């Protein structure tokens, strides 16, 4: 019984398989023997009819460099049409094989493909009131841009801030409208402050040389630029910065008071981190036992770069550069600050200046009123600058906070260079970030 059922199933399946085998050799055209129009034939034969137009676009432009043809078979080349040129379409017709064609007003023919022609009509307008920054190469237009619109001359510069009050969206492009009525490609606008890119360009074009290290950081965007910012140099009095920061932090934390008094003794000159008392500053060069307030010492070290004042701050305020002091500074700059050899990078000094800025303490105001405000970073700037210089033989440095509308850190380390170079670097960067 089971054998008969199995045999009968085999004889039934065999003709079906043969029928499918024969079907694969047949060529079928669903419109071949039907009396249909070319358009109806196109609907039947086009696999992806969405790739082709079924009506004339409102503002047709060339989607690529293309050619038109003299005949509907698209064999006799007529003209060449460049990308984005407007097309004058007379009608949409269908070839006898079902292909949709555009007939142009000049008599030429073109396949009605969306890959060849796009519709440049306005999709949406949006109201804006925001500040943007220009990218390099931005072009402006007097009217809503089309294929034939030519850019106009404007006074805008790359990376400049502009106010955008509107946005126009088209199928293949978007444009911003400025508060002065100009149009600019949306891709030429940056919502983020991009001026640091220009700073980097200037540094690489003009100051990428031996003996120069520069670190720049915008404090509102945290964007950074620089050249040789990670190259260590002898820092001279720049190494007084970590002590000034640490002592002020002790005051802010309540561990010390500005009114605390400390005696100038021999011990204050003998620890790792102390400077030669005979260096800069107005305090006596020999221990006298005289007492000075903590605030007076900080002012002397910040404004005059006084070595004796620094030594006393280090001795009393950091317990002779103890481990807690080093740990606090390492947390800020990411590495150990060598207070003996004083080999420091511009980036390390910049991170320390940023930390002082974030403290929002009295030290910042002291650094705005130093004996060295007529040179280096502040020299050619019309705005307040908090800074600390460093000098030793061929080394000349300056580390600063420049108080533009968007404050930034600027540190310049130099070896065998003139102080005016630091001023020139500062002026160039200010002109971008002011």
């Amino acid at each position: 019984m089971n054998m008969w059922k199995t045999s009968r199933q085999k004889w039934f399946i065999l003709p079906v398989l043969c029928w499918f085998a024969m079907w694969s050799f047949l060529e079928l055209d669903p419109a071949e023997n039907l009396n249909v129009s070319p358009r109806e034939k196109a609907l039947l034969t086009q696999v992806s009819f969405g790739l082709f137009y079924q009506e004339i676009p409102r503002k047709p432009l060339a989607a690529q460099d293309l050619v038109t043809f003299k005949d509907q078979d698209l064999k006799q080349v007529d003209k060449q049409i460049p990308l984005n040129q407007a097309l004058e379409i007379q009608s949409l017709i269908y070839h006898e094989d079902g292909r949709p064609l555009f007939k142009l007003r000049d008599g030429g023919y073109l396949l009605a493909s969306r890959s060849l022609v796009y519709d440049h009509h306005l999709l949406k307008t949006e109201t804006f009131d925001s500040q943007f920054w220009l990218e390099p190469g931005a072009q402006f237009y007097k009217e809503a841009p089309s294929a034939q619109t030519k850019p106009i001359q404007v006074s805008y510069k790359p990376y400049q801030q502009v106010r955008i009050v509107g946005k126009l969206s088209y199928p293949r492009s978007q444009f911003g409208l400025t508060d002065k009525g100009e149009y600019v490609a949306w891709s030429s606008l940056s919502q983020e402050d991009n001026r640091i890119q220009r700073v980097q360009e200037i540094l690489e074009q003009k100051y990428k040389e031996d003996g120069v290290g520069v670190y720049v950081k915008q404090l509102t965007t945290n964007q950074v630029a620089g050249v040789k910012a990670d190259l260590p140099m002898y820092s001279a009095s720049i190494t007084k910065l970590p002590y000034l920061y640490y002592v002020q932090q002790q005051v802010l934390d309540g561990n010390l008071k500005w009114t605390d008094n400390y005696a100038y003794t021999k011990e204050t000159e003998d620890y790792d981190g102390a400077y030669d008392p005979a260096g800069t500053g107005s305090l006596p060069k020999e221990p006298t036992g005289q007492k000075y307030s903590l605030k007076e010492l900080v002012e002397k070290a910040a404004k005059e770069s006084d070595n004796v004042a620094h030594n006393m701050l280090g001795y009393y305020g950091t317990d002779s550069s103890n481990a807690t002091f080093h740990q606090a500074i390492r947390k800020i700059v990411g590495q150990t600050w060598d207070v003996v050899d004083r080999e420091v990078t511009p980036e390390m000094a910049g991170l320390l200046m940023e930390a002082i800025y974030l403290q929002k303490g009295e030290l910042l105001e002291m650094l705005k009123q130093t004996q060295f405000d007529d040179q280096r970073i502040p020299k050619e700037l019309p705005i307040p600058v908090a800074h600390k210089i460093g000098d030793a033989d061929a080394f000349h440095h300056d580390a600063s906070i420049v108080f533009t509308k968007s404050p930034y850190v600027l540190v310049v380390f130099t070896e065998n260079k003139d102080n005016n170079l630091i001023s020139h670097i500062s002026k160039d960067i200010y002109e971008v970030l002011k």
Side-chain angles (χ1 to χ4, degrees):
M1 182 68 175
N2 289 339
M3 291 179 60
W4 166 244
K5 184 176 181 181
T6 302
S7 176
R8 208 168 37 170
Q9 287 174 335
K10 289 180 179 179
W11 283 105
F12 174 75
I13 293 172
L14 185 59
V16 174
L17 293 174
C18 291
W19 182 76
F20 273 111
M22 292 174 62
W23 180 265
S24 64
F25 290 101
L26 295 177
E27 285 189 15
L28 293 180
D29 183 345
E32 182 178 19
N33 298 314
L34 299 177
N35 184 20
V36 296
S37 68
R39 185 179 189 281
E40 292 170 329
K41 186 173 183 179
L43 288 168
L44 289 170
T45 58
Q46 295 299 336
V47 177
S48 299
F49 198 78
L51 298 177
F52 298 92
Y53 284 98
Q54 300 181 56
E55 58 184 19
I56 298 175
R58 284 173 280 182
K59 290 187 176 182
L61 301 180
Q64 56 182 276
D65 292 335
L66 48 82
V67 295
T68 61
F69 298 87
K70 297 179 180 180
D71 60 316
Q72 294 187 19
D73 292 330
L74 306 183
K75 293 181 178 180
Q76 301 179 45
V77 175
D78 186 15
K79 297 178 180 178
Q80 293 184 343
I81 297 178
L83 170 69
N84 289 329
Q85 180 167 312
L87 301 172
E88 295 186 9
I89 299 175
Q90 178 176 311
S91 59
L92 175 64
I93 64 175
Y94 293 86
H95 190 273
E96 61 183 11
D97 64 6
R99 286 181 296 173
L101 305 175
F102 287 136
K103 183 177 181 180
L104 306 180
R105 294 192 183 280
D106 64 4
Y109 294 92
L110 181 67
L111 186 66
S113 169
R114 296 182 186 275
S115 66
L116 301 178
V117 179
Y118 72 94
D119 192 353
H120 185 70
H121 64 279
L122 183 61
L123 297 175
K124 182 173 62 173
T125 60
E126 301 173 65
T127 300
F128 269 78
D129 189 5
S130 301
Q131 296 291 337
F132 288 76
W133 283 264
L134 294 176
E135 297 285 4
Q139 292 184 322
F140 289 79
Y141 304 88
K142 190 175 182 179
E143 56 189 25
S146 67
Q148 313 305 322
T149 307
K150 294 183 179 180
I152 59 174
Q153 294 292 327
V154 293
S155 59
Y156 297 114
K157 296 179 180 180
Y159 311 108
Q160 182 176 335
Q161 197 171 33
V162 293
R163 182 183 171 199
I164 298 298
V165 297
K167 181 179 180 182
L168 292 77
S169 297
Y170 296 85
R172 291 197 172 197
S173 58
Q174 296 175 315
F175 294 89
L177 177 64
T178 73
D179 59 342
K180 297 181 180 179
E182 304 123 337
Y183 295 86
V184 58
W186 197 258
S187 58
S188 296
L189 299 172
S190 172
Q191 289 185 292
E192 294 185 358
D193 186 345
N194 62 0
R195 291 176 295 169
I196 202 72
Q197 297 175 32
R198 178 56 183 156
V199 171
Q200 186 65 43
E201 290 174 1
I202 291 173
L203 293 177
E204 292 185 359
Q205 291 167 4
K206 299 180 65 175
Y207 302 111
K208 195 173 184 178
E209 57 185 273
D210 291 341
V212 178
V214 184
Y215 173 83
V216 186
K217 182 176 182 179
Q218 285 181 287
L219 295 174
T220 53
T221 68
N222 290 322
Q223 296 184 88
V224 174
V227 289
K228 299 183 179 178
D230 58 351
L231 182 66
M233 285 192 195
Y234 179 72
S235 64
S237 287
I238 295 293
T239 288
K240 293 171 183 174
L241 283 173
Y243 291 88
L244 290 168
Y245 164 84
Y246 187 81
V247 168
Q248 176 165 261
Q249 192 59 50
Q250 294 302 300
V251 173
L252 294 173
D253 292 342
N255 300 322
L256 297 175
K257 296 180 181 179
W258 288 126
T259 54
D260 291 342
N261 291 305
Y262 301 100
Y264 179 15
T265 65
K266 187 65 177 177
E267 290 78 12
T268 63
E269 301 174 354
D270 188 19
Y271 65 93
D272 287 348
Y275 284 75
D276 181 358
T280 58
S282 60
L283 292 183
K285 308 306 177 186
E286 297 291 337
T288 61
Q290 184 175 344
K291 291 186 177 182
Y292 300 91
S293 72
L294 184 66
K295 187 171 184 178
E296 185 177 3
L297 293 173
V298 170
E299 284 185 327
K300 291 286 186 182
K303 295 182 177 183
E304 302 176 19
S305 197
D306 192 295
N307 284 2
V308 171
H310 163 82
N311 292 346
M312 293 178 67
L313 289 174
Y315 182 77
Y316 294 110
T318 74
D319 192 17
S320 302
S321 312
N322 66 12
T324 304
F325 160 77
H326 279 291
Q327 183 179 4
I329 302 306
R330 189 182 304 115
K331 186 176 181 180
I332 295 169
V333 302
Q335 56 187 296
T336 298
W337 191 302
D338 188 338
V339 298
V340 177
D341 291 336
R342 299 173 186 144
E343 290 286 321
V344 175
T345 69
E347 180 183 20
M348 291 169 65
L351 292 171
L352 218 298
M353 284 301 297
E354 180 181 1
I356 291 173
Y357 171 81
L358 294 175
Q359 283 180 314
K360 303 298 182 184
E362 294 184 43
L363 173 59
L364 204 59
E365 292 301 315
M366 298 176 190
L367 293 172
K368 288 181 183 179
Q369 304 171 45
T370 78
Q371 293 182 353
F372 313 99
D373 294 347
D374 59 348
Q375 58 179 272
R376 304 185 210 196
I377 289 175
K379 182 178 180 179
E380 299 182 32
L381 305 189
I383 56 174
V385 176
H387 73 124
K388 178 72 189 72
I389 69 159
D391 271 339
D393 300 322
F395 297 97
H396 303 284
H397 314 316
D398 204 355
S400 70
I401 303 290
V402 181
F403 288 88
T404 54
K405 183 178 179 181
S406 174
Y408 59 91
V409 175
L410 171 59
V411 178
V412 184
F413 280 12
T414 68
E415 181 180 7
N416 293 315
K417 304 292 180 181
D418 190 272
N419 275 344
N420 287 329
L421 175 65
I422 299 177
S423 299
H424 295 331
I425 293 172
S426 174
K427 180 67 171 176
D428 281 347
I429 293 173
Y430 169 76
E431 289 300 324
V432 178
L433 299 180
K434 64 183 178 181

